[in-house]
Amino acid sequence: MSTLVIEGLRASVAGREILTGVDLAVAAGEVHAVMGPNGSGKSTLAHVIAGRHGYNVSDGSVRLDGTELLTLPAWRRAEAGLFLAMQYPTEVPGVSLLDMLTESVCTAEGAAVAERMQEEAERIGFDEKFLARPVNVDLSGGERKRNEALQLGVLKPAFAVVDELDSGLDVDALRFVGDRIEDATEHDGLGVLAITHSSRVFDHLRPDAVHVFAGGRIRESGGAELAEELEAEGYERWTPTSPKSDAGAAPFTDPFGDPFADLLT
Ligand code: ADP
Ligand code: MG
């Protein structure tokens, strides 16, 4: 049985530590929701797992079935079975979706890939004209997300990190895309890390566990009821914003005190 195990993951970007010790384990067929406020580091977590450049990982590990992913380039991580559905899917001018997926799967399987793409497109209501067009170029937010779901359906990864699936999706598109991923968890044993700031996506992609993510790490874990609690109460409990809050403040030192006082005690 496949498992994705994240342990003590710390990472910084532009000299600032964003991930401050993430621990998480997802088994095949499970959906784990990671819910947190804007700017808490959720997309950073997704990018660090997938191997995007520009992040400095200072500690920890991310293992897929025992294989350490952090030392591998992004394409090797994909080869090991990892898939990232991005919050803002990137445009790839000059490369068609058909060419991209044919190369991703295996050139010898080319013909079968085209067929599978058509099946998947039909399943999620994605217009077939996009298959031959450059990846994501001039597509709406919702079309880009359907495109991500199509790629997932064709590539059949072991694990998917899905970042803010519902952003840019109307209710119908969310149903198509959410149901497609949920179906992959049930029939193909896909494990999912569903990163989101709202619980709208859980109408279709049902979580087995919910984790509260704030300040760059997981603060609390529970079942689906935790998502309802967060929807009702927000994240305030985990994000001290009051100027009176002394969370994380440096210990007070008196600038006029005796510099040698510590040595005498
Ligand atoms: P979330 O997805 O939870 O909204 P992000 O992971 O996108 O949060 O961002 C977490 C923090 O890291 C934010 O303060 C953001 O500004 C900062 N950050 C993310 N990427 C970069 C980057 N490339 N350069 C500088 N700061 C970044
Ligand atoms: Mg984000």
Side-chain angles (χ1 to χ4, degrees):
M1 182 115 147
S2 313
T3 351
L4 181 76
V5 181
I6 304 171
E7 276 177 340
L9 185 60
R10 289 176 170 270
S12 56
V13 63
R16 197 174 123 223
E17 187 171 67
I18 307 292
L19 302 183
T20 58
V22 182
D23 294 296
L24 189 62
V26 185
E30 289 181 352
V31 176
H32 284 233
V34 170
M35 299 185 73
N38 291 329
S40 55
K42 303 183 301 300
S43 290
T44 301
L45 175 64
H47 293 148
V48 167
I49 295 172
R52 183 177 174 178
H53 289 289
Y55 298 91
N56 179 31
V57 178
S58 58
D59 205 2
S61 68
V62 178
R63 292 191 307 277
L64 182 54
D65 292 335
T67 302
E68 177 58 72
L69 297 184
L70 293 178
T71 53
L72 303 177
W75 68 275
R76 284 264 183 224
R77 298 182 198 203
E79 202 176 50
L82 186 75
F83 180 88
L84 169 66
M86 287 182 275
Q87 180 170 2
Y88 305 110
T90 316
E91 290 186 7
V92 191
V95 178
S96 76
L97 186 58
L98 177 62
D99 286 347
M100 187 176 88
L101 287 184
T102 304
E103 285 297 320
S104 305
V105 176
C106 172
T107 325
E109 272 189 74
V113 171
E115 244 167 65
R116 268 155 61 188
M117 284 172 70
Q118 263 161 10
E119 276 166 29
E120 288 294 332
E122 205 170 307
R123 220 170 144 174
I124 58 167
F126 189 59
D127 197 319
E128 274 190 34
K129 72 175 183 236
F130 296 127
L131 307 185
R133 285 196 8 201
V135 178
N136 289 326
V137 174
D138 296 330
L139 264 60
S140 72
E143 286 161 352
R144 288 178 189 216
K145 293 286 179 160
R146 285 192 211 230
N147 188 349
E148 300 278 285
L150 181 142
Q151 291 171 42
L152 186 144
V154 171
L155 293 172
K156 295 199 184 302
F159 277 90
V161 178
V162 179
D163 194 1
E164 305 282 4
L165 184 68
D166 64 334
S167 67
L169 286 183
D170 60 30
V171 273
D172 294 327
L174 182 60
R175 177 165 47 83
F176 274 120
V177 170
D179 287 350
R180 177 66 190 93
I181 300 176
E182 174 72 21
D183 185 85
T185 66
E186 283 168 23
H187 296 105
D188 303 325
L190 175 74
V192 175
L193 199 61
I195 292 174
T196 181
H197 69 274
S198 91
S199 60
R200 196 167 83 105
V201 62
F202 303 145
D203 292 342
H204 304 283
L205 191 57
R206 289 182 293 282
D208 298 287
V210 173
H211 308 278
V212 182
F213 189 87
R217 64 194 158 91
I218 287 165
R219 301 301 185 98
E220 193 172 330
S221 299
E225 74 290 344
L226 186 53
E228 284 162 31
E229 212 178 292
L230 288 169
E231 197 67 38
E233 293 174 17
Y235 297 105
E236 212 166 305
R237 185 147 53 107
W238 292 278
T239 50
T241 48
S242 155
K244 285 184 184 155
S245 164
D246 61 2
F252 176 72
T253 42
D254 181 358
F256 305 109
D258 179 356
F260 301 110
D262 282 350
L263 300 174
L264 300 172
T265 55

